[in-house]
Amino acid sequence: MLYPCHNEGLEDIDAGVLTKGAVRLVFNLLWFLLFGIPLVCIHATSGLLNITMMALIVTIPVALPNAMAHFKMTPVALFPIGKRVVRTEMANYLNTELTKLEIGAVKQEVSDTKPTS
């Protein structure tokens, strides 16, 4: 699955033992030091070159989506362990459901802390 085209990188809530807690932190730090920094430099440079070419050669329909794709991939290139790539529609649905659950939990806490008379 190509990541930037109508996809988003989300935290994987159904992760295995290798992508949770301290192990995830260690693997992400190793990735950051060995591969993350060069990948982010490459994506940032490519994105800036696309924007420069867009300004110089007026290729907005081609260069702008490519530049945005490069900048969109930088967070996952830095710390990929524990991420999952999903379609944008699914990411939006999951975010709205998570917001509903958080609002419901806050309402439940408020109703539990109200004094009963």
Side-chain angles (χ1 to χ4, degrees):
M1 179 183 300
L2 296 175
Y3 170 55
C5 302
H6 308 292
N7 297 310
E8 290 188 31
L10 297 177
E11 293 292 323
D12 190 3
I13 59 172
D14 191 31
V17 71
L18 290 178
T19 57
K20 288 185 181 177
V23 177
R24 176 180 172 180
L25 177 69
V26 169
F27 283 137
N28 269 327
L29 285 176
L30 282 173
W31 177 271
F32 175 76
L33 294 174
L34 296 175
F35 307 110
I37 294 171
L39 279 174
V40 168
C41 290
I42 290 168
H43 282 301
T45 304
S46 299
L48 291 173
L49 284 173
N50 275 312
I51 290 173
T52 304
M53 296 308 286
M54 181 179 63
L56 294 176
I57 309 176
V58 192
T59 57
I60 295 172
V62 175
L64 186 61
N66 285 336
M68 297 307 292
H70 281 293
F71 292 127
K72 187 177 178 183
M73 289 194 297
T74 55
V76 175
L78 272 179
F79 302 108
I81 309 298
K83 302 268 193 213
R84 181 175 288 195
V85 176
V86 296
R87 302 286 293 171
T88 303
E89 298 85 16
M90 179 59 76
N92 292 338
Y93 172 75
L94 291 173
N95 286 332
T96 55
E97 290 299 314
L98 182 63
T99 304
K100 288 178 188 176
L101 287 173
E102 288 172 351
I103 290 172
V106 169
K107 286 182 180 179
Q108 183 67 31
E109 284 181 21
V110 169
S111 66
D112 288 345
T113 58
K114 283 185 181 178
T116 56
S117 31

